[in-house]
């Protein structure tokens, strides 16, 4: 086949396949992400919304403010791609997955330790409800994000999925910060960090299954 | 990503071409269907050269070029204005090529390990590969025919007829462990044949 024939064949193949334009894709993305955020917010308010508990307002402001800053930074690194069609380098994504849960935990413990009685054990609150709530808050946005990048990641789809899971977990942590007053480390590990790691793992699985670029059969 | 960007030519003319290609991609992403031909003309030489450096199979290159452009078309809505389209296209092409090669290898290994000697050993993508595969099947069949009787019988019972090892061992009046050893030896002999076929050593081709 000469190059003219290949060109004609390619153009014919492309014409036979419908695809979304930039505007259509953006509209679909906004709809999908807004829908998933609405689902998460609905779950959050159904669970009780903001609960100050024994915390002072200043403690809540500091822990939530820091978590929000970390979550925004993770969105910038994990989702935003600057002027490129490819995901960020693997080391950046791996660093994000490894460092965000640690940063959130350290920030929370560091500020809770400054306030008397905020690090005490709550035997009745091992963290299972927080675990379930984090997962419930994170699932819909994670699935939406993965579906937006369906079969379009030519490089490291598993790692990209893990980064998406981590980003979603960081945003869920911010909402959880408003809901949960407990600062006991074991509770934080079980209820706040573990579901985040689980969301990252789910991101790996979904990324490999749904975002990986496959050949036509 | 960075490596692809660095790998792109920095010649002023080439740079202008890249800018035009990126602009064509932006117009195509916005819904201008006529921009695809321009995009193809600007990008195809790069993708073809990239693939030809990695495989000598012309049919596969042509197939992958078409598939790469199809992916760019399907995902055009995701295009970010100003993003260089060349590295993206080359990464897609590299991924598709890797998938294709991996798929072909897997098909080869599966049919070889299953011992389905008479079946087509791989998903062939070109007449040349098909001919090589057919030749390999013939050589394996020939090798099996030249095995000692006991080995050939063991191979037939387990690999062709699919009998469980313990039943085949009792039919051959031997132990399962001895049968396993025998099959391992036959497998090694056939694998060497396969390796010799895929490895164009310096002495090959000198033979008449």
């Amino acid at each position: 086949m000469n190059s003219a024939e290949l060109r004609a064949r390619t153009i014919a193949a492309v014409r036979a396949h419908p695809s979304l334009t930039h505007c259509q894709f953006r509209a679909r993305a906004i709809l999908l992400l807004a829908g998933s955020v609405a689902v998460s917010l609905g779950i959050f308010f159904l669970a009780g919304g903001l609960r100050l508990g024994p915390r002072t307002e200043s403690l809540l402001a500091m822990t939530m403010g820091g978590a929000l800053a970390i979550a925004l930074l993770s969105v910038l690194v994990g989702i935003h791609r600057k002027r490129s069609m490819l995901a960020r380098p693997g080391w950046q994504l791996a660093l994000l997955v490894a460092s965000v849960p640690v940063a959130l935990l350290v920030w929370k413990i560091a500020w809770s330790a400054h306030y008397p009685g905020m690090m005490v054990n709550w035997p009745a609150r091992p963290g299972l409800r927080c675990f379930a709530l984090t997962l419930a808050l994170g699932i819909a946005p994670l699935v939406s994000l993965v579906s937006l990048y369906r079969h379009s990641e030519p490089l490291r789809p598993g790692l990209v999925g893990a980064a998406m899971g981590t980003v979603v977990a960081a945003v869920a942590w911010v909402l959880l910060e408003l809901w949960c007053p407990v600062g006991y480390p074991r509770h934080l590990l079980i209820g706040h960090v573990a579901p985040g790691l689980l969301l990252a793992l789910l991101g790996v699985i979904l990324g490999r299954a749904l975002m990986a670029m496959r050949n036509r059969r | 990503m960075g490596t692809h960007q660095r790998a792109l030519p920095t010649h002023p003319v080439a740079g202008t071409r890249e800018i035009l290609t990126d602009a064509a991609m932006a117009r195509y992403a916005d819904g201008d269907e006529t921009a695809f031909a321009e995009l193809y003309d600007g990008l195809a030489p790069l993708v073809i050269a990239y693939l030809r450096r990695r495989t000598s199979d012309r049919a596969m290159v042509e197939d992958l070029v078409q598939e790469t452009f199809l992916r760019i078309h399907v995902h055009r809505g995701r295009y970010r204005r100003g993003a260089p389209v060349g590295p993206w296209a080359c990464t897609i092409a590299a991924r598709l090529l890797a998938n294709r090669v991996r798929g072909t290898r897997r098909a080869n290994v599966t049919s070889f390990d299953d011992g389905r000697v008479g079946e087509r050993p791989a998903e062939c993508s070109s007449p040349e590969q098909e001919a090589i595969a057919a030749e390999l099947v013939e050589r394996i069949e020939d090798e099996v025919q030249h095995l000692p009787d006991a080995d050939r019988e063991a191979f037939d019972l387990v690999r062709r007829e699919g009998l469980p090892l313990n039943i085949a061992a009792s039919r051959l009046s031997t132990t399962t462990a001895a049968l396993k050893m025998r099959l391992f030896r036959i497998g090694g002999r056939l694998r060497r044949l396969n390796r010799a076929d895929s490895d164009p050593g310096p002495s090959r081709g000198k033979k008449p």
Side-chain angles (χ1 to χ4, degrees):
Chain A
M1 182 186 298
N2 61 37
S3 58
E5 283 173 341
L6 177 62
R7 184 179 188 272
R9 196 180 74 171
T10 305
I11 291 174
V14 160
R15 283 194 182 141
H17 283 78
S19 72
L20 297 181
T21 62
H22 189 67
C23 285
Q24 290 166 332
F25 177 80
R26 197 168 51 188
R28 178 180 280 195
I30 289 171
L31 205 65
L32 203 60
L33 290 177
S36 65
V37 169
V39 167
S40 294
L41 286 176
I43 292 170
F44 174 69
F45 285 113
L46 276 177
L50 173 64
R51 299 190 311 177
L52 197 56
R55 290 178 290 183
T56 62
E57 283 171 0
S58 65
L59 173 60
L60 177 64
M62 289 315 296
T63 52
M64 208 212 69
L68 188 62
I70 294 169
L72 289 177
L73 195 66
S74 71
V75 170
L76 277 180
V77 177
I79 310 284
H80 187 62
R81 296 187 172 185
K82 293 197 257 178
R83 288 195 163 190
S84 173
M85 289 305 293
L86 301 171
R88 283 175 188 265
W91 69 268
Q92 287 186 14
L93 296 178
L95 190 66
L96 175 87
V97 172
S99 63
V100 164
V102 176
L104 288 166
L105 182 68
V106 167
W107 183 264
K108 170 80 174 174
I109 289 176
W111 278 101
S112 298
H114 274 84
Y115 289 78
M118 286 295 103
M119 295 280 289
V120 294
N121 186 9
W122 292 32
R125 301 280 296 273
L128 299 179
R129 281 163 61 192
C130 289
F131 184 96
L133 184 59
T134 307
L135 283 183
L137 292 174
I139 289 282
L142 178 59
V143 171
S144 306
L145 273 174
V146 168
S147 65
L148 278 179
Y149 289 86
R150 203 160 167 260
H151 299 315
S152 69
E153 280 302 325
L155 284 176
R156 300 178 289 272
L159 193 53
V160 173
M164 285 178 177
T166 304
V167 169
V168 162
V171 176
W173 183 298
V174 175
L175 286 177
L176 205 66
E177 200 59 62
L178 296 169
W179 188 77
C180 173
V182 183
Y184 184 61
R186 196 173 64 199
H187 171 95
L188 293 177
L189 284 173
I190 294 172
H192 298 222
V193 175
L197 298 178
L198 199 61
L199 283 171
L201 183 66
L202 192 64
V204 173
I205 295 165
L206 288 176
R208 284 187 179 164
L210 299 176
M211 291 199 294
M213 194 166 265
R214 302 191 196 288
N215 294 37
R216 283 175 299 157
R217 301 203 172 182
Chain B
M1 183 194 77
T3 51
H4 289 299
Q5 277 174 327
R6 278 194 295 275
L8 284 176
T10 52
H11 191 273
V13 176
T16 311
R17 188 177 185 168
E18 282 165 30
I19 292 166
L20 291 175
T21 307
D22 293 348
M25 182 68 218
R27 281 193 287 121
Y28 187 57
D30 286 341
D32 179 0
E33 303 297 329
T34 58
F36 182 80
E38 202 180 316
L39 176 69
Y40 181 91
D41 293 338
L43 209 54
L46 179 72
V47 176
I48 291 171
Y50 184 85
L51 287 168
R52 280 196 181 151
R53 278 200 301 273
R54 281 155 182 81
T55 177
S56 57
D57 187 334
R58 282 181 66 91
M60 191 192 279
V61 168
E62 286 168 358
D63 208 24
L64 290 177
V65 166
Q66 185 183 332
E67 204 166 334
T68 301
F69 277 96
L70 202 54
R71 296 314 166 98
I72 290 172
H73 162 72
V74 168
H75 299 299
R76 66 173 164 162
R78 279 187 50 227
Y79 180 70
R80 287 172 188 273
R81 192 172 291 277
V85 71
W88 182 40
C90 287
T91 310
I92 292 173
R95 167 54 53 208
L96 297 173
L97 175 64
N99 288 352
R100 181 71 66 89
V101 169
R102 196 180 302 138
T104 307
R105 274 193 200 144
R106 196 174 292 147
N108 267 328
V109 169
T110 304
S111 68
F112 189 71
D113 283 354
D114 286 354
R116 289 176 297 194
V117 173
E119 292 179 18
R120 197 178 171 201
E123 182 190 321
C124 300
S125 56
S126 71
E128 184 192 1
Q129 279 189 323
E130 227 163 312
I132 291 169
E135 191 190 336
L136 178 62
V137 167
E138 270 177 31
R139 287 176 62 185
I140 290 175
E141 196 68 88
D142 190 47
E143 190 75 14
V144 170
Q145 293 308 316
H146 285 89
L147 287 172
D149 286 349
D151 285 358
R152 196 175 60 249
E153 205 174 348
F155 184 86
D156 286 343
L157 285 178
V158 178
R159 298 299 185 210
R160 288 192 210 266
E161 293 177 32
L163 279 187
L165 280 174
N166 55 347
I167 297 175
S170 67
R171 250 200 228 185
L172 295 167
S173 307
T174 182
T175 63
T176 310
L179 179 60
K180 271 187 191 172
M181 282 297 294
R182 193 177 289 176
L183 290 169
F184 179 76
R185 206 172 53 237
I186 299 167
R189 194 165 162 174
L190 296 181
R191 267 192 293 275
R192 274 196 298 280
L193 191 71
N194 187 32
R195 258 201 303 273
D197 188 73
S198 60
D199 179 23
S203 62
R204 290 186 86 219
K206 289 181 182 175
K207 290 175 185 173

